[in-house]
Amino acid sequence: MARRTVDVPALVESARAGSPRAVARLISLVEDGHESLREVMAALTPHAGSAYVIGLTGSPGVGKSTTTTALVGAFRERGLRVGVLAVDPSSPFSGGALLGDRVRMQDHALDPEVYIRSMASRGHLGGLSFTTPQAIRVLDAAGCDVVLVETVGVGQSEVEIAGLADTSVVLLAPGMGDGIQAAKAGILEIGDVFVVNKADRDGADATVRDLRHMISLGDRTEPGLWRPPVVKAVAAQKVGIDEVMEALDKHRAFVEENGELARRRERRAADEIETIVLATLRARFSHVAGHAGVVRLAREVLAGHLDPYAAADRLVVELGEQLTA
Amino acid sequence: MARRTVDVPALVESARAGSPRAVARLISLVEDGHESLREVMAALTPHAGSAYVIGLTGSPGVGKSTTTTALVGAFRERGLRVGVLAVDPSSPFSGGALLGDRVRMQDHALDPEVYIRSMASRGHLGGLSFTTPQAIRVLDAAGCDVVLVETVGVGQSEVEIAGLADTSVVLLAPGMGDGIQAAKAGILEIGDVFVVNKADRDGADATVRDLRHMISLGDRTEPGLWRPPVVKAVAAQKVGIDEVMEALDKHRAFVEENGELARRRERRAADEIETIVLATLRARFSHVAGHAGVVRLAREVLAGHLDPYAAADRLVVELGEQLTA
């Protein structure tokens, strides 16, 4: 099937000029793993690097999209341009959830200074670890001052993605996932700011106490290290949002000052490069080995003439020759 | 930490002579991704290839271990040597479950012609897709006529592993995961034999009907294709086990005759080789790139001087040079 050709320079120019359509189209190219991606990233990279990336993660039901919406509102009040990337496939942004949430988010959808985009994990290449940094780059180059990356804190990869943000916010709700649950899910390590949302419900104080206790048990209480604050909020009523914003500002100032921000960004870029390398190797390997070649070796293994490591060695050498050719 | 050196030839000889200790030790080497694995596989490969591999998959609670135990008994009555590989981390074999199941399985544990082994997914290298075929090879070379690979049908990788068996058995229980659930989980495609276990419970006939209906909607009803039978059983009371064995025998005869068995085994060996190649590339890449090298490139990307694809290209070329050196 012939793929529609893409006028990359024109698309990038439109995105930088503020066209939501162009931004959406660029993120679709990322999501599709389109052949023009290399050209797209080359065109965007010089214009990226000024957006501050905030990760938001939490189990389904803690009020991620409501909190995201409230934070978008708060950043808009500061006159900032905001990008929202929802990489949770079950998120309202991808059309699978409650109408109420969607309507609330729709307010911002009419705001030309807010880009909202959901991304599905289509399982190709490196998955979310491949597409997320590229989609952030699109929003960054399009002039977003802040990019909110919302992921559901269920799978390890989603947690890792959230952990790569400049500031990672972990959301909990009373009685849903208290301290120990958070520790199990691996989100205790990645949170820079913890928000106990739906704090008007029973058990909110216990959840806050549990969390603070769990945090105090970690090694993050040493002097000079960031001690993650635990903030209560009722995002649906915009309660506690000022406090969350204050915590975000403090963390940003902290990581900017002590060099941690630069280190996080280096790690994020390094991870992105490695993911592309592995995807490239995988693709080249398929090309080199071909189906027939691997099956021929597989037959030798089945006949007991060749062990699978020796078979793999042959393919690795072939691949090496092809990579340097 | 110095690793204990392994006398691979002696260990392989002991395993082939029927030492359960040697078999267990070899599978531990597989599980650990031990440095001697290459030598182990080279020593085992010429002696492998005669075991028939049966995959069993199903959600937690359908009675996988009870059914496995009953099948082990049936194969033992035929005088066959049986290996059991439980790659479900929550399986009784790995020590996490009901005492009743364990005691039942213990009967076979005293039988020198039965090897029972649980394997955890330790997350290194290629995970279960890396370790499972190697562990099967250990049991195969140790003289097992039949290897039962039990996986929990939850994750995609477990389902894939089950699907790579010579014959794949999918277990269900009434009211737990009927036809549509099975279709969602992707197990409808991989089942060669479906067993509705706990068939003395309400709803068993409905589950059988649902499954047959779902199967009839697939493309597996064409002439010349295998049409998966749906068998009722109460494994805990050994009811229906003869019928399951009959279905297994029929499927085996079918795939042996039409060449599908050879194709499945080729695919399994090819997958194994590819997994080793990718693990090798990943390891070599880490070696080539080093932390400093990637971070240097990451900084150039962050400065906007280099896009991530161009950075990846540089590493790929370096890797190619190293692979052919």
Side-chain angles (χ1 to χ4, degrees), chain A residues 161-183:
Chain A
I161 285 162
L164 286 173
D166 296 331
T167 296
S168 291
V169 179
V170 171
L171 288 166
L172 294 98
M176 284 199 52
D178 302 296
I180 293 163
Q181 294 279 24

Side-chain angles (χ1 to χ4, degrees), chain A residues 9-321:
Chain A
L11 207 52
V12 168
E13 202 184 323
S14 297
R16 293 192 61 219
S19 156
R21 269 183 86 103
V23 170
R25 180 98 175 87
L26 287 169
I27 297 181
S28 293
L29 296 177
V30 167
E31 213 176 13
D32 295 343
H34 194 271
E35 56 191 351
S36 68
L37 264 189
R38 165 182 289 268
E39 193 189 346
V40 169
M41 290 303 135
L44 292 174
T45 303
H47 307 295
S50 54
Y52 194 82
V53 180
I54 298 174
L56 286 108
T57 194
S59 306
V62 297
K64 277 190 302 297
S65 62
T66 316
T67 308
T68 301
T69 305
L71 290 176
V72 169
F75 282 116
R76 289 296 300 126
E77 279 174 25
R78 294 183 182 182
L80 298 176
R81 185 179 287 189
V82 186
V84 177
L85 212 52
V87 291
D88 167 11
S90 67
S91 154
F93 307 129
S94 45
L98 303 172
L99 187 62
D101 288 315
R102 273 218 266 179
V103 169
R104 225 171 291 139
M105 204 66 192
Q106 287 297 8
D107 300 344
H108 294 306
L110 299 173
D111 181 342
E113 299 293 307
V114 179
Y115 298 109
I116 300 166
R117 176 62 187 237
S118 66
M119 279 216 310
S121 167
R122 299 203 182 158
H124 61 83
L125 300 161
L128 291 176
S129 59
F130 190 87
T131 49
T132 307
Q134 301 195 359
I136 292 172
R137 185 172 293 109
V138 171
L139 293 168
D140 186 346
C144 289
D145 301 292
V146 177
V147 176
L148 299 170
V149 182
E150 187 196 307
T151 61
V152 73
V154 173
Q156 194 53 40
S157 66
E158 287 85 357
V159 169
E160 278 164 17
I161 285 162
L164 286 173
D166 296 331
T167 296
S168 291
V169 179
V170 171
L171 288 166
L172 294 98
M176 284 199 52
D178 302 296
I180 293 163
Q181 294 279 24
K184 270 193 188 169
I187 60 173
L188 213 57
E189 287 71 28
I190 62 143
D192 300 309
V193 172
F194 289 86
V195 177
V196 176
N197 193 31
K198 305 188 179 183
D200 51 349
R201 292 196 182 169
D202 282 350
D205 289 324
T207 300
V208 169
R209 209 164 43 235
D210 273 11
L211 264 174
R212 288 200 175 127
H213 179 63
M214 296 296 295
I215 291 166
S216 75
L217 295 176
D219 55 2
R220 300 172 73 165
T221 50
E222 286 171 36
L225 287 185
W226 174 255
R227 184 166 188 163
V230 180
V231 183
K232 283 200 284 185
V234 187
Q237 293 161 35
K238 307 271 189 278
V239 172
I241 298 305
D242 287 348
E243 289 74 12
V244 176
M245 290 293 284
E246 196 190 322
L248 293 176
D249 289 340
K250 274 194 188 157
H251 183 257
R252 180 173 182 164
F254 182 85
V255 293
E256 278 177 349
E257 200 172 317
N258 74 354
E260 171 66 15
L261 180 62
R263 280 192 295 277
R264 282 192 186 200
R265 290 183 170 185
E266 278 169 17
R267 216 180 308 141
R268 203 160 70 212
D271 279 5
E272 184 184 6
I273 296 168
E274 290 188 5
T275 303
I276 295 172
V277 168
L278 290 172
T280 305
L281 292 177
R282 210 176 271 262
R284 297 270 191 107
F285 167 63
S286 303
H287 181 69
V288 164
H291 183 62
V294 180
V295 168
R296 202 181 57 242
L297 290 169
R299 283 186 190 145
E300 289 199 57
V301 170
L302 289 171
H305 301 146
L306 191 70
D307 73 85
Y309 285 87
D313 284 348
R314 293 199 193 169
L315 291 173
V316 167
V317 169
E318 272 186 59
L319 178 63
E321 284 166 0

Side-chain angles (χ1 to χ4, degrees), chain B residues 277-319:
Chain B
V277 168
L278 291 173
T280 305
L281 292 178
R282 207 177 273 262
R284 297 270 193 104
F285 168 64
S286 303
H287 181 71
V288 165
H291 183 62
V294 180
V295 168
R296 202 181 56 242
L297 290 169
R299 283 186 190 144
E300 289 199 57
V301 170
L302 289 171
H305 301 146
L306 191 70
D307 73 86
Y309 284 86
D313 284 348
R314 293 199 194 170
L315 292 172
V316 166
V317 169
E318 273 186 59
L319 178 62

Side-chain angles (χ1 to χ4, degrees), chain B residues 79-304:
Chain B
L80 298 176
R81 184 179 288 187
V82 186
V84 176
L85 213 53
V87 291
D88 168 11
S90 67
S91 154
F93 307 127
S94 48
L98 304 172
L99 187 61
D101 287 316
R102 274 217 267 182
V103 169
R104 226 171 290 139
M105 206 66 195
Q106 287 296 8
D107 300 343
H108 294 306
L110 300 172
D111 180 342
E113 300 292 306
V114 179
Y115 299 110
I116 299 166
R117 177 61 187 238
S118 66
M119 279 214 313
S121 166
R122 298 204 182 156
H124 61 81
L125 299 163
L128 291 176
S129 59
F130 190 86
T131 50
T132 307
Q134 301 196 357
I136 293 172
R137 185 172 291 109
V138 171
L139 294 168
D140 186 346
C144 289
D145 302 293
V146 178
V147 175
L148 298 171
V149 182
E150 187 195 307
T151 60
V152 73
V154 174
Q156 194 52 40
S157 66
E158 288 84 357
V159 168
E160 278 164 17
I161 285 162
L164 286 173
D166 296 330
T167 296
S168 291
V169 179
V170 170
L171 289 164
L172 293 100
M176 284 198 52
D178 302 295
I180 292 161
Q181 295 279 24
K184 271 193 187 167
I187 60 174
L188 212 59
E189 286 71 30
I190 62 142
D192 300 308
V193 173
F194 289 86
V195 177
V196 175
N197 192 32
K198 306 188 177 180
D200 51 349
R201 291 195 182 170
D202 282 349
D205 289 324
T207 299
V208 169
R209 209 166 41 235
D210 272 11
L211 265 174
R212 288 199 175 127
H213 178 63
M214 296 296 294
I215 291 165
S216 75
L217 295 177
D219 55 1
R220 299 171 75 167
T221 49
E222 285 171 35
L225 288 184
W226 174 255
R227 182 163 187 165
V230 180
V231 183
K232 283 200 285 186
V234 187
Q237 294 161 35
K238 307 269 189 279
V239 170
I241 298 305
D242 288 348
E243 288 74 13
V244 176
M245 290 293 283
E246 197 190 322
L248 293 176
D249 289 340
K250 274 194 188 155
H251 184 256
R252 179 172 183 165
F254 182 85
V255 294
E256 278 177 349
E257 201 174 316
N258 74 354
E260 172 66 16
L261 180 62
R263 280 192 295 276
R264 281 192 188 200
R265 290 182 171 186
E266 278 169 17
R267 218 181 306 145
R268 202 160 70 214
D271 278 5
E272 185 184 6
I273 295 168
E274 291 188 2
T275 302
I276 295 172
V277 168
L278 291 173
T280 305
L281 292 178
R282 207 177 273 262
R284 297 270 193 104
F285 168 64
S286 303
H287 181 71
V288 165
H291 183 62
V294 180
V295 168
R296 202 181 56 242
L297 290 169
R299 283 186 190 144
E300 289 199 57
V301 170
L302 289 171

